Amino acid sequence: MQAFYEYINGARILDVLKDLLTNEDSNIRAKACSALGNMCRHSPYFYDSLARHHIINPLIERCTDPDRRTRKFACFAIGNAAYHNDLLYEELRKSIPPLAALLVSTDEDKTKANAAGALSNLVRNSNKLSEDIVSKGAMQALLKLVSECSVLALDPSRREAVNESPLKIALFSLGKMCSHPPCLQFLRSSELLSVIARLRQSQEPIICNYASNIMRKVSDT
């Protein structure tokens, strides 16, 4: 896959993609976000170029796009732009509020899962953004999402619905955030921590493991 990166870079398409992010056609905006996300999926090769071409800000703006598909792919692209290292973290700081807002919106579950995954990646490589994750409402939004999804997770008859929900990604993200003191302190004091404690009883092994992992970190002194 990476063998093609030099050819893509040589085609000098980033300025074109930047323009397409604000195209009047929502399908084009969505595909531009998807293309940027895939360009960052396997390697940080394009991170420098994204910064030089000032693409991060217009990409973040697509998280509040009127088109649902565009919002979904914008979250996907932001997550991949944060996955491999923290080079773009400072620019991506502005993405935290819109990502948090999507978690408690009426958007589809895939968009919420993408937003939760993106927030996880924003604490994956350093603690630069951990205080913003708390102060900009991302942890609270994740906890609300977990609370909303928890009823399904504890109902054995709704197991298939759980697999389609963003709950696993949200719990995984919270687990990653627990590695940073500001996030851990916030979680310890949250009234919604009891929801995660109950999820240790889920019959879905991944959910049970993620919830148990969070509670272990919270209990450690």
Side-chain angles (χ1 to χ4, degrees):
M1 188 72 67
Q2 194 166 338
F4 296 103
Y5 284 4
E6 291 185 16
Y7 297 103
I8 296 172
N9 193 44
R12 299 181 179 179
I13 64 169
L14 284 173
D15 281 332
V16 175
L17 286 173
K18 182 181 178 182
D19 288 340
L20 294 179
L21 286 173
T22 54
N23 191 279
E24 62 181 15
D25 187 331
S26 62
N27 286 324
I28 292 176
R29 297 196 303 272
K31 288 177 180 178
C33 291
S34 178
L36 289 165
N38 280 307
M39 286 167 66
C40 297
R41 189 169 188 172
H42 302 287
S43 163
Y45 180 94
F46 289 103
Y47 283 9
D48 281 324
S49 298
L50 293 179
R52 283 199 312 274
H53 290 263
H54 306 289
I55 286 178
I56 297 301
N57 279 341
L59 180 60
I60 292 171
E61 290 172 0
R62 300 282 64 77
C63 289
T64 55
D65 194 277
D67 177 63
R68 286 175 176 260
R69 288 182 66 250
T70 301
R71 296 195 295 269
K72 177 174 68 176
F73 287 118
C75 295
F76 164 70
I78 288 170
N80 286 346
Y83 181 81
H84 301 285
N85 60 47
D86 65 356
L87 180 68
L88 297 173
Y89 273 20
E90 285 302 327
E91 287 194 76
L92 290 169
R93 187 185 297 272
K94 294 178 183 177
S95 71
I96 296 173
L99 289 172
L102 285 170
L103 295 175
V104 292
S105 71
T106 58
D107 275 60
E108 62 184 274
D109 284 347
K110 182 59 177 176
T111 301
K112 294 181 180 182
N114 285 354
L119 289 166
S120 173
N121 290 343
L122 289 173
V123 298
R124 173 184 170 86
N125 298 296
S126 78
N127 64 356
K128 286 181 181 179
L129 303 180
S130 59
E131 291 186 1
D132 282 64
I133 288 288
V134 174
S135 66
K136 303 301 183 183
M139 290 203 69
Q140 185 67 14
L142 281 166
L143 285 165
K144 287 181 179 177
L145 178 62
V146 168
S147 181
E148 289 173 1
C149 297
S150 64
V151 176
L152 287 178
L154 295 172
D155 184 347
S157 67
R158 304 294 298 276
R159 189 162 184 171
E160 286 189 12
V162 171
N163 289 331
E164 298 298 322
S165 85
L167 177 59
K168 293 177 184 178
I169 302 298
L171 288 171
F172 177 82
S173 184
L174 286 168
K176 286 293 184 184
M177 291 173 182
C178 284
S179 300
H180 303 288
C183 301
L184 184 60
Q185 183 177 354
F186 178 88
L187 192 56
R188 281 174 172 160
S189 63
S190 174
E191 61 184 16
L192 293 176
L193 182 61
S194 59
V195 176
I196 296 177
R198 289 198 298 272
L199 285 172
R200 292 177 295 181
Q201 302 168 17
S202 172
Q203 295 186 14
E204 174 58 50
I206 293 177
I207 291 173
C208 177
N209 288 340
Y210 285 167
S212 298
N213 179 52
I214 292 170
M215 295 308 299
R216 278 196 301 270
K217 290 181 177 180
V218 168
S219 300
D220 286 345
T221 56

